[in-house]
Amino acid sequence: MRVEVQQNTEEWLNQRIGLVTGSQQSKVMANYGKAFGNPAHKYAVEKAVERLTLVRQGSSFTNEYMERGTELEPIAVQKYEAETMYKVEPGGFFVKGTLGDSPDGIVGRGCIEVKVQVPHIHLDCIEKDRPTTGYKWQLVSHMYVGDRDWCDFVSYCPEMPI
């Protein structure tokens, strides 16, 4: 099910209550195939409390990198559209059972995830021709929860010429 909602709004935050979200899948999958680690356990307790109380838990943590990402993400999307000739629609919020997910954009049967990176991380993504490992499960979540056929990872760094 897709909910038309803008990311980082109060409505979007409320949609996430009690759901395991794509942005946190790396915590859940950190020990893939083994016992949950401490970050996964802490996140599971947080989600259980949300389901019981219907009140958002956790912090509304933000830092300069997150604020920079929010500010520059529209530019990254415009560059992606210019380079691919795809039209990107707002990602909204998808719900599938106990999972929630919000890709940064929808492109036909696919989606995109945009990360505004610092130069050394951006260069690492380019050199390896893939996102850093920490984003793997978020991209998988976009495809599974949103029923998407593919997900493009968009690494953007305005300080870098590539």
Side-chain angles (χ1 to χ4, degrees):
M1 171 183 81
R2 183 176 181 192
V3 179
E4 299 292 334
V5 61
Q6 184 178 348
Q7 286 187 19
N8 302 313
T9 63
E10 193 68 23
E11 183 183 2
W12 177 79
L13 290 168
N14 288 334
Q15 286 291 325
R16 300 163 57 92
I17 292 175
L19 299 175
V20 175
T21 59
S23 61
Q24 300 301 308
Q25 282 293 343
S26 62
K27 290 179 183 176
V28 175
M29 302 304 285
N31 294 331
Y32 184 62
K34 301 175 188 166
F36 279 161
N38 190 48
H41 182 263
K42 182 178 176 186
Y43 184 62
V45 168
E46 180 181 302
K47 292 291 128 180
V49 169
E50 285 183 353
R51 287 185 192 170
L52 290 169
T53 64
L54 299 178
V55 175
R56 200 168 51 236
Q57 301 297 303
S59 68
S60 55
F61 173 79
T62 185
N63 62 33
E64 65 185 278
Y65 296 109
M66 294 165 72
E67 291 168 9
R68 177 178 185 258
T70 300
E71 178 186 323
L72 296 175
E73 184 177 301
I75 296 168
V77 170
Q78 288 174 346
K79 289 179 73 70
Y80 174 85
E81 288 178 321
E83 289 176 17
T84 64
M85 302 303 289
Y86 292 150
K87 175 67 178 145
V88 177
E89 302 296 332
F93 187 77
F94 291 87
V95 178
K96 187 174 201 168
T98 59
L99 303 175
D101 192 81
S102 48
D104 290 324
I106 299 298
V107 182
R109 288 288 312 140
C111 62
I112 64 170
E113 177 60 31
V114 177
K115 297 296 182 191
V116 176
Q117 312 271 30
V118 293
H120 72 279
I121 301 293
H122 178 71
L123 187 58
D124 186 54
C125 289
I126 291 169
E127 288 176 342
K128 291 179 179 172
D129 195 28
R130 68 182 184 336
T132 57
T133 307
Y135 299 132
K136 171 185 175 181
W137 295 110
Q138 185 176 19
L139 306 181
V140 169
S141 180
H142 290 342
M143 292 184 289
Y144 177 72
V145 178
D147 192 29
R148 303 284 104 191
D149 294 337
W150 52 269
C151 182
D152 276 349
F153 179 79
V154 178
S155 179
Y156 176 67
C157 180
E159 296 86 3
M160 297 290 287
I162 54 175

